[in-house]
Amino acid sequence: MPFGAQLDDASVAYRLWAPAAQRVELVLGYPHAAAPIIMDRREGGWFEHVAPRAAAGARYAFRVDDGLTVPDPASRSNPDGVHAASEVVDPAAYRWNDAQWRGRPWFDAVIYELHVGTFTHGGTFADAVARLDALVDLGVTALELMPVAAFPGERNWGYDGVLPFAPAATYGAPDDMKALIDAAHGRGLMVLLDVVYNHFGPEGNYLSAYAPQFFTARHRTPWGDAIDFDGAHSHTVREFFIHNALYWLHEYHLDGLRLDAIHAIADDSRPDFVTELAERVRASIGNARQVHLVLENDRNEAHYLSRDGDGVAVLATAQWNDDLHHPLHVIATGETDGYYADYADAPAADFARALAEGFVFQGQPSAHRGGALRGEVSTGLPPAAFVSFAQNHDQIGNRALGERLAILAEPDLLHALVACVLLAPQTPMLFMGEEFGARTPFLFFCDFGAELARAVTQGRRGEFKHFARFYDPAAQAMIPDPNDVATFMASKLDWEAAQRQPGTAWRDFIRRCLSARRQYIAPLLPQITRAGAGRVCGDALVDVEWATGDGRRLRLLANLGAGPSDELTLPTGIAVFATPQVPELGASAALPRNGVICIVTG
């Protein structure tokens, strides 16, 4: 890795890219340091020094131009927080037990998204290990960790990370994270990590003091000046993030990355950063094991998801599909505020199209975006290129009160919608606690310094003043303070609820769906290479069918209306899943309200 501190036998090579600095000193043992060591200036804005007799565990920092002392931006560990000294790490010290692990094919993926700090009471990597067996029993095959890169304070969603190579110390040491991944592999679980390459957090990022070339005013993002991926110094900037991706995949044996909000990565170059990163990852891993790249991309750019002649992903493996979630949410709750307005007119038809084709918006104007055209044609992509979900951290946590669908939706209707997500050939994802119908909120929380904390609290409450429910200032004041530790604690899962009703019934339902998926649907997925055909019959009977290359068909029917459907004749075949009161195959009858059936024919 060309960035950071590299341990080699009994010495450590320290490197810092500081093109705006005239002088950089290495401060060993900071804050209880000996005299600073002047680093050698190299071409291209680099400063270097090799320290003999150094070892893992040594603390260090950089002093820039006799002034600001900063941590290493490529620190592998910052045990005392993002404002303190970095720590030398021996990347080969952890003894892995997964030598035979080669990953799993994407067709096997059933993803479980979790936030390390709120997944368990202890909120650490080590605590999460104790929950892995229950996830395997449920039918989960992949963990997706929300970002763990070091952030300011003791608690954060992770999207305010400022040291992208250092696991947050509040979750444990680097070897604790490796032990979690190792334990997951030992149970047949893939582990994906959410990474943020579109911005740095607002506190603890010192790059602008000595490497302002990381940023550019030519592009703007919701967080201010964009990271400069296409300017004169962009090669080093791109390398910083590409090596971050390779670092997580190689040193931590991760099975994939989820790239946060690539639509907020401003880049006019060719190849663009996302393309280059994906190509470098594919070339680096080769055929050694299976590694998957998942995108979040509001622009619905289908070209990132293209397949080669053998059906193998060329760049990204899949994309989180908001176009499926949004109509699902409208059906479940009746809410049509904000981006839900684009799906308000015909949510059942939009849901059927998303199940069949992936994207709803494939180049049409979006009223929510002021009429701008959104999306690319996705019908040539396999369903597995889309990650489907009824809930995730954003769709719960960006609500003022962080309510889950178990609070907002009718239980039987929610069962029907979740069954559609888990039984369709898209890649399904559950958000932690969803498997037992958790009713604890997942709120927006952080732990900034006092001045920024006040601004974040005021800004958070101001976001919702245009909603009728929060128009009154007194109602706004009831929105939990993101910086209050109580907000964080309220977001921790209540695992006792999983052991009593309705938690146990929810868990049995999810397990039954995933058992059917594993036994009957997953084997079909390599043969389902293109979009299906979706329609809505009557008021809200969703009917979607996918064809395999060998003549079989997978058909999913769900009555999401207010009453029984019109009479229909179900085809003969194997009913791999059905809710109660669903008529027998071959019979002519109405599908009951909230009835779901999944059939394999041929």
Side-chain angles (χ1 to χ4, degrees), residues 1 5 120 200 212 234 317 357 390 413 431 498 554 579 600:
M1 194 171 73
T120 64
F200 289 92
S234 62
T317 311
E357 301 179 13
L413 176 58
F431 183 65
L554 175 67
T579 51
V600 174

Side-chain angles (χ1 to χ4, degrees), residues 62-264:
F62 300 113
R63 184 170 296 159
V64 180
D65 290 336
D66 297 319
L68 185 67
T69 301
V70 300
D72 185 348
S75 166
R76 282 176 165 90
S77 175
N78 254 59
D80 300 314
V82 300
H83 300 292
S86 299
E87 179 184 41
V88 175
V89 170
D90 179 358
Y94 181 80
R95 299 303 180 212
W96 290 90
N97 298 298
D98 66 349
Q100 303 306 312
W101 177 256
R102 295 294 179 268
R104 297 185 67 151
W106 189 244
F107 298 118
D108 287 351
V110 175
I111 304 171
Y112 187 91
E113 187 194 17
L114 67 89
H115 177 270
V116 174
T118 54
F119 179 54
T120 64
H121 179 75
T124 67
F125 297 125
D127 290 310
V129 173
R131 293 287 173 188
L132 297 183
D133 289 334
L135 296 181
V136 172
D137 175 71
L138 185 70
V140 168
T141 63
L143 307 182
E144 183 175 308
L145 307 181
M146 288 176 64
V148 302
F151 47 76
E154 295 296 315
R155 52 196 179 273
N156 197 281
W157 274 17
Y159 299 93
D160 294 313
V162 291
L163 298 177
F165 293 80
T170 191
Y171 300 151
D175 281 1
D176 293 326
M177 181 175 173
K178 292 176 182 177
L180 169 61
I181 297 166
D182 206 7
H185 288 169
R187 293 162 171 81
L189 290 167
M190 296 184 283
V191 185
L192 314 178
L193 177 66
D194 198 340
V195 292
V196 182
Y197 297 153
N198 51 54
H199 77 289
F200 289 92
E203 179 188 330
N205 173 28
Y206 295 99
L207 285 167
S208 59
Y210 57 86
Q213 292 84 348
F214 255 91
F215 307 98
T216 177
R218 296 190 317 278
H219 303 295
R220 297 288 292 176
T221 75
W223 308 280
D225 286 353
I227 295 173
D228 191 358
F229 286 110
D230 59 5
H233 299 276
S234 62
H235 172 74
T236 304
V237 175
R238 290 163 82 110
E239 286 296 296
F240 182 85
F241 291 104
I242 288 170
H243 277 280
N244 181 259
L246 297 176
Y247 160 81
W248 288 119
L249 294 171
H250 286 284
E251 287 194 18
Y252 282 80
H253 294 200
L254 284 163
D255 301 283
L257 303 172
R258 182 257 192 190
L259 306 186
D260 177 66
I262 67 163
H263 53 268

